[in-house]
mmCIF file of all heavy atoms in Angstrom:
data_model
loop_
_atom_site.group_PDB
_atom_site.id
_atom_site.type_symbol
_atom_site.label_atom_id
_atom_site.label_comp_id
_atom_site.label_asym_id
_atom_site.label_seq_id
_atom_site.Cartn_x
_atom_site.Cartn_y
_atom_site.Cartn_z
ATOM 1 N N ALA A 2041 -55.427 30.945 -9.104
ATOM 2 C CA ALA A 2041 -55.301 29.759 -8.301
ATOM 3 C C ALA A 2041 -54.904 28.511 -9.171
ATOM 4 O O ALA A 2041 -54.114 27.611 -8.696
ATOM 5 C CB ALA A 2041 -56.569 29.504 -7.604
ATOM 6 N N ALA A 2042 -55.552 28.437 -10.390
ATOM 7 C CA ALA A 2042 -55.227 27.260 -11.240
ATOM 8 C C ALA A 2042 -53.748 27.275 -11.612
ATOM 9 O O ALA A 2042 -53.120 26.252 -11.683
ATOM 10 C CB ALA A 2042 -56.103 27.292 -12.463
ATOM 11 N N LEU A 2043 -53.267 28.426 -11.860
ATOM 12 C CA LEU A 2043 -51.787 28.591 -12.240
ATOM 13 C C LEU A 2043 -50.923 28.266 -11.098
ATOM 14 O O LEU A 2043 -49.861 27.537 -11.223
ATOM 15 C CB LEU A 2043 -51.484 30.013 -12.718
ATOM 16 C CG LEU A 2043 -50.002 30.245 -13.354
ATOM 17 C CD1 LEU A 2043 -49.801 29.352 -14.507
ATOM 18 C CD2 LEU A 2043 -49.986 31.686 -13.716
ATOM 19 N N GLY A 2044 -51.304 28.611 -9.889
ATOM 20 C CA GLY A 2044 -50.516 28.314 -8.638
ATOM 21 C C GLY A 2044 -50.543 26.773 -8.440
ATOM 22 O O GLY A 2044 -49.483 26.202 -8.061
ATOM 23 N N ILE A 2045 -51.690 26.143 -8.665
ATOM 24 C CA ILE A 2045 -51.813 24.733 -8.530
ATOM 25 C C ILE A 2045 -50.853 23.945 -9.445
ATOM 26 O O ILE A 2045 -50.288 22.972 -9.168
ATOM 27 C CB ILE A 2045 -53.311 24.191 -8.652
ATOM 28 C CG1 ILE A 2045 -54.121 24.769 -7.532
ATOM 29 C CG2 ILE A 2045 -53.284 22.703 -8.752
ATOM 30 C CD1 ILE A 2045 -53.786 24.335 -6.127
ATOM 31 N N ILE A 2046 -50.809 24.529 -10.728
ATOM 32 C CA ILE A 2046 -49.924 23.889 -11.776
ATOM 33 C C ILE A 2046 -48.451 23.965 -11.232
ATOM 34 O O ILE A 2046 -47.691 23.003 -11.268
ATOM 35 C CB ILE A 2046 -50.131 24.660 -13.148
ATOM 36 C CG1 ILE A 2046 -51.427 24.287 -13.728
ATOM 37 C CG2 ILE A 2046 -48.959 24.174 -14.048
ATOM 38 C CD1 ILE A 2046 -51.749 25.039 -14.968
ATOM 39 N N LEU A 2047 -48.045 25.092 -10.807
ATOM 40 C CA LEU A 2047 -46.691 25.263 -10.255
ATOM 41 C C LEU A 2047 -46.465 24.298 -9.074
ATOM 42 O O LEU A 2047 -45.377 23.614 -8.974
ATOM 43 C CB LEU A 2047 -46.481 26.764 -9.716
ATOM 44 C CG LEU A 2047 -45.179 27.034 -9.086
ATOM 45 C CD1 LEU A 2047 -43.925 26.809 -9.992
ATOM 46 C CD2 LEU A 2047 -45.135 28.476 -8.618
ATOM 47 N N LEU A 2048 -47.379 24.290 -8.232
ATOM 48 C CA LEU A 2048 -47.220 23.417 -6.954
ATOM 49 C C LEU A 2048 -47.166 21.899 -7.430
ATOM 50 O O LEU A 2048 -46.422 21.176 -6.873
ATOM 51 C CB LEU A 2048 -48.420 23.655 -5.983
ATOM 52 C CG LEU A 2048 -48.176 23.319 -4.506
ATOM 53 C CD1 LEU A 2048 -47.002 24.188 -4.093
ATOM 54 C CD2 LEU A 2048 -49.430 23.722 -3.836
ATOM 55 N N VAL A 2049 -48.052 21.490 -8.308
ATOM 56 C CA VAL A 2049 -48.040 20.063 -8.692
ATOM 57 C C VAL A 2049 -46.741 19.711 -9.390
ATOM 58 O O VAL A 2049 -46.186 18.689 -8.947
ATOM 59 C CB VAL A 2049 -49.254 19.785 -9.629
ATOM 60 C CG1 VAL A 2049 -49.012 18.416 -10.360
ATOM 61 C CG2 VAL A 2049 -50.590 19.932 -8.893
ATOM 62 N N VAL A 2050 -46.215 20.557 -10.234
ATOM 63 C CA VAL A 2050 -44.933 20.237 -10.858
ATOM 64 C C VAL A 2050 -43.902 20.212 -9.851
ATOM 65 O O VAL A 2050 -42.982 19.292 -9.822
ATOM 66 C CB VAL A 2050 -44.574 21.289 -11.881
ATOM 67 C CG1 VAL A 2050 -43.191 20.986 -12.516
ATOM 68 C CG2 VAL A 2050 -45.663 21.185 -13.029
ATOM 69 N N THR A 2051 -43.899 21.080 -8.879
ATOM 70 C CA THR A 2051 -42.837 21.095 -7.836
ATOM 71 C C THR A 2051 -42.891 19.846 -6.921
ATOM 72 O O THR A 2051 -41.880 19.213 -6.734
ATOM 73 C CB THR A 2051 -43.059 22.372 -6.887
ATOM 74 O OG1 THR A 2051 -43.032 23.530 -7.651
ATOM 75 C CG2 THR A 2051 -41.971 22.433 -5.777
ATOM 76 N N LEU A 2052 -44.156 19.466 -6.640
ATOM 77 C CA LEU A 2052 -44.199 18.207 -5.840
ATOM 78 C C LEU A 2052 -43.805 16.972 -6.627
ATOM 79 O O LEU A 2052 -43.237 16.025 -6.078
ATOM 80 C CB LEU A 2052 -45.740 18.010 -5.438
ATOM 81 C CG LEU A 2052 -46.154 18.949 -4.367
ATOM 82 C CD1 LEU A 2052 -47.698 18.921 -4.108
ATOM 83 C CD2 LEU A 2052 -45.482 18.802 -3.030
ATOM 84 N N VAL A 2053 -44.151 16.948 -7.923
ATOM 85 C CA VAL A 2053 -43.655 15.868 -8.761
ATOM 86 C C VAL A 2053 -42.085 15.773 -8.733
ATOM 87 O O VAL A 2053 -41.494 14.699 -8.576
ATOM 88 C CB VAL A 2053 -44.157 15.945 -10.217
ATOM 89 C CG1 VAL A 2053 -43.453 14.996 -11.126
ATOM 90 C CG2 VAL A 2053 -45.660 15.776 -10.218
ATOM 91 N N ILE A 2054 -41.370 16.994 -8.863
ATOM 92 C CA ILE A 2054 -39.942 17.038 -8.928
ATOM 93 C C ILE A 2054 -39.409 16.482 -7.498
ATOM 94 O O ILE A 2054 -38.530 15.653 -7.446
ATOM 95 C CB ILE A 2054 -39.511 18.366 -9.160
ATOM 96 C CG1 ILE A 2054 -39.827 18.840 -10.564
ATOM 97 C CG2 ILE A 2054 -37.856 18.421 -9.031
ATOM 98 C CD1 ILE A 2054 -39.156 18.005 -11.680
#
Side-chain angles (χ1 to χ4, degrees):
L2043 188 58
I2045 294 294
I2046 291 173
L2047 173 64
L2048 205 55
V2049 167
V2050 175
T2051 303
L2052 287 173
V2053 169
I2054 296 293

